[in-house]
Amino acid sequence: MTNPKKSFNDVTDHLSKIEGAPMSKPEMGSLPLGIRIIGYVIIGFTALTSLFVIVFGFLD
């Protein structure tokens, strides 16, 4: 498998340098605290909502 930080060819390398696109996904620990908190709130809200929908779906 190819290295994710190494470009596929010269064209994609040039395009990523011009656009400034990151070659890898950021790790959650490297993000600022505010963005991490927002991410955790959104994931937690989605999980709790899904759990409530499943539980109340069986009670109906």
Side-chain angles (χ1 to χ4, degrees):
M1 186 173 266
T2 61
N3 186 359
K5 293 185 179 180
K6 186 176 180 183
S7 65
F8 180 71
N9 58 24
D10 290 337
V11 176
T12 57
D13 181 48
H14 176 71
L15 183 63
S16 67
K17 286 180 181 176
I18 296 298
E19 290 183 346
M23 294 300 284
S24 63
K25 292 184 177 181
E27 294 181 15
M28 197 65 167
S30 68
L31 295 173
L33 180 63
I35 295 176
R36 281 188 287 169
I37 290 173
I38 291 171
Y40 292 141
V41 167
I42 290 173
I43 291 170
F45 178 75
T46 304
L48 284 175
T49 303
S50 300
L51 182 66
F52 285 141
V53 166
I54 291 170
V55 168
F56 289 122
F58 285 128
L59 292 178
D60 188 26

